[in-house]
Amino acid sequence: MDFDDTPEEAAFRREVRAFLEAHARRKTGTDADWSRGGVSEDPEQAAAYLERCRAWQRTLFDNGWAGITWPKEYGGRGGTPAESIIFNQEASQFDVTTGFIGAAQQLVGPPLLRFGTEEQKARYIPSMLKGDELWCQLFSEPGAGSDLAALATRAVRDGDEWVVTGQKVWTSEAQHADFGILLARTDPDAPKHKGITFFIVDMHSPGIEIRPLVQATGLSHFNEVFLTEVRIPAGNVVGEVNGGWAVARTTLASEAGMIGGAGQTTTFQAVLELARACGRTADPIVRQGLADVYIRERILKFHQMRMQTAIMHRRGSPPDPSVLKNFFTQSLSKRVDLAIALEGAHGMLASADAPQDGFWQKQHMAQFSSRIGGGTNEVHRNMIGERALGLPPEPRDDKDVPWRDLPKS
């Protein structure tokens, strides 16, 4: 691995640091950091957090730091992947975040930039980078979770429109979204991977009903979305009709890499501060647990550095996104489990009765969504085996069978 900046990269890093010093403050590792928010059951606090994320996104855009690798003609900076890595490294030290706004950009931007028409890119990407319009991802379905290609939402052509009927689930932030990227089946007689089309859908369209799902944390981050004869203009198809699986894979790869490389609110430093506040740092069992958390955080960092070296210096091979995703979720579980153990009997409390207003309780319960979101850990282990290790794929007897003839759950 090679972590050294070139002279040009070092100059860029200084420029980034100067911008951040002028527009943000450094993280404290405590509950004073607003950027670790987004876990409030209070609708007003959740709305305030979203607005702070939106304001930071607009600050990035106004100062030329939004979409660092995205083309200038659509509002991006036109920079390199190395510059994007450097910016994220520096920004991780400051009390700022774009929250789900930035996450949605990483899911929506790559497929639009690669497969979208010029009209689609000019219409949607600048407003996305400004934070003016929010997006969600309408992929998962009740009967097609881990096997996404088995999705049953139907889209039927009617003149210059497509009429869509079906149900999506686990749609993050759909209640706040202006637009969504949608997968729907347009040819039920084709094998399941070949009869899917990728659409842009206006989330305010007639026929869309959003039902929040209340999670164990008390939050409603995920939603069910019901589509009843929703009309989508034919110009909202991204890529080719029936060729949506190739477009979707761009999103899925970006999603796994995003989760594995994400900045973390539950860092080792945050757990260490909790251990100090609880007076537990002299306990040898606690110290062993802290060491385990620290080691896992460093290993994840080294995986990210391997990615950095491959991108910035074109040396070695980057780790598979599935490796990053699975290691991230395992590391997260270790951190939040230790945090609850540190709180002792107080760890059984919740919300305002618990230490730090129940921050660690929410993080502990939310960990399970990270194991499912972006593809389950089990699915990603299959991908690691097949793509990274070159192992034989699992036997499949449905690959060439028309979707219409497959058994439905």
Side-chain angles (χ1 to χ4, degrees):
M1 291 185 284
D2 185 349
F3 312 140
D4 295 331
D5 290 339
T6 65
E8 294 77 14
E9 290 164 353
F12 180 80
R13 189 181 296 275
R14 289 192 294 271
E15 183 184 355
V16 171
R17 196 170 297 163
F19 162 74
L20 292 167
E21 293 284 5
H23 291 84
R25 67 176 180 84
R26 291 185 177 271
K27 288 179 178 175
T28 65
T30 69
D31 55 1
D33 294 337
W34 77 265
S35 60
R36 77 175 195 170
V39 293
S40 176
E41 299 173 29
D42 185 335
E44 291 186 3
Q45 291 185 20
Y49 172 78
L50 178 61
E51 286 309 308
R52 291 196 74 165
C53 292
R54 192 196 293 264
W56 179 244
Q57 180 64 43
R58 188 59 191 243
T59 298
L60 293 175
F61 183 85
D62 289 344
N63 289 273
W65 295 105
I68 289 178
T69 62
W70 295 15
K72 289 183 179 180
E73 57 264 37
Y74 308 123
R77 188 180 178 89
T80 66
E83 290 173 341
S84 180
I85 289 172
I86 290 170
F87 185 91
N88 290 334
Q89 288 173 341
E90 294 298 318
S92 68
Q93 303 173 55
F94 288 80
D95 186 22
V96 291
T97 182
T98 57
F100 190 75
I101 296 171
Q105 289 174 3
Q106 294 188 60
L107 301 177
V108 178
L112 285 188
L113 288 170
R114 182 175 176 184
F115 295 95
T117 64
E118 287 302 315
E119 291 77 11
Q120 290 170 344
K121 288 184 277 192
R123 163 61 185 86
Y124 298 112
I125 292 178
S127 59
M128 186 191 310
L129 288 178
K130 293 176 186 176
D132 290 346
E133 294 173 340
L134 307 186
W135 289 70
C136 65
Q137 175 185 341
L138 299 158
F139 280 18
S140 295
E141 298 186 5
S146 297
D147 187 11
L148 177 60
L151 62 89
T153 294
R154 288 291 311 277
V156 178
R157 187 70 180 259
D158 181 19
D160 292 332
E161 295 179 315
W162 290 86
V163 182
V164 181
T165 298
Q167 178 186 355
K168 299 293 181 176
V169 74
W170 311 126
T171 304
S172 300
E173 304 295 342
Q175 69 271 46
H176 301 302
D178 300 295
F179 293 95
I181 50 175
L182 166 74
L183 291 183
R185 188 160 303 282
T186 46
D187 185 359
D189 295 315
K192 60 183 180 180
H193 290 87
K194 297 181 180 180
I196 295 171
T197 300
F198 192 110
F199 295 92
I200 296 169
V201 58
D202 185 336
M203 294 300 292
H204 305 295
S205 301
I208 293 182
E209 180 185 0
I210 299 170
R211 300 180 189 174
L213 295 168
V214 180
Q215 300 152 234
T217 58
L219 307 177
S220 297
H221 173 71
F222 298 118
N223 300 270
E224 292 179 292
V225 180
F226 295 85
L227 303 103
T228 305
E229 297 187 354
V230 176
R231 290 187 169 270
I232 300 176
N236 282 23
V237 171
V238 180
E240 297 180 358
V241 173
N242 296 327
W245 187 251
V247 187
R249 288 186 63 177
T250 303
T251 295
L252 297 174
S254 180
E255 184 176 29
M258 175 188 70
I259 294 172
Q264 303 165 43
T265 56
T266 58
T267 60
F268 166 76
Q269 187 62 38
V271 181
L272 178 60
E273 292 297 333
L274 177 64
R276 288 170 174 164
C278 295
R280 302 287 304 279
T281 54
D283 185 326
I285 302 300
V286 169
R287 294 171 71 88
Q288 184 176 358
L290 287 169
D292 188 18
V293 169
Y294 177 80
I295 289 168
R296 289 174 179 273
E297 187 170 294
R298 294 304 296 165
I299 291 174
L300 181 60
K301 184 67 175 178
F302 287 136
H303 278 309
Q304 293 166 353
M305 287 177 170
R306 278 184 58 203
M307 182 76 75
Q308 172 187 336
T309 299
I311 292 173
M312 295 175 65
H313 302 284
R314 294 179 175 83
R315 287 173 49 188
S317 57
D320 190 283
S322 293
V323 173
L324 286 170
K325 197 271 185 184
N326 269 19
F327 199 86
F328 171 85
T329 57
Q330 293 171 16
S331 301
L332 173 62
S333 294
K334 289 289 184 181
R335 286 196 300 278
V336 296
D337 287 351
L338 177 60
I340 294 298
L342 287 171
E343 292 183 351
H346 292 94
M348 294 185 290
L349 302 176
S351 301
D353 296 325
Q356 298 186 17
D357 290 327
F359 172 79
W360 289 104
Q361 283 71 17
K362 291 187 177 70
Q363 294 293 331
H364 187 271
M365 290 186 286
Q367 65 170 297
F368 303 104
S369 66
S370 72
R371 301 183 192 180
I372 300 171
T376 65
N377 284 4
E378 292 74 18
V379 167
H380 281 286
R381 289 191 185 104
N382 280 352
M383 293 180 181
I384 292 168
E386 295 176 14
R387 294 188 318 208
L389 302 179
L391 299 176
E394 288 191 342
R396 305 178 67 101
D397 58 5
D398 62 353
K399 190 173 182 179
D400 299 316
V401 177
W403 177 85
R404 190 190 297 277
D405 296 337
L406 294 176
K408 307 299 186 291
S409 58

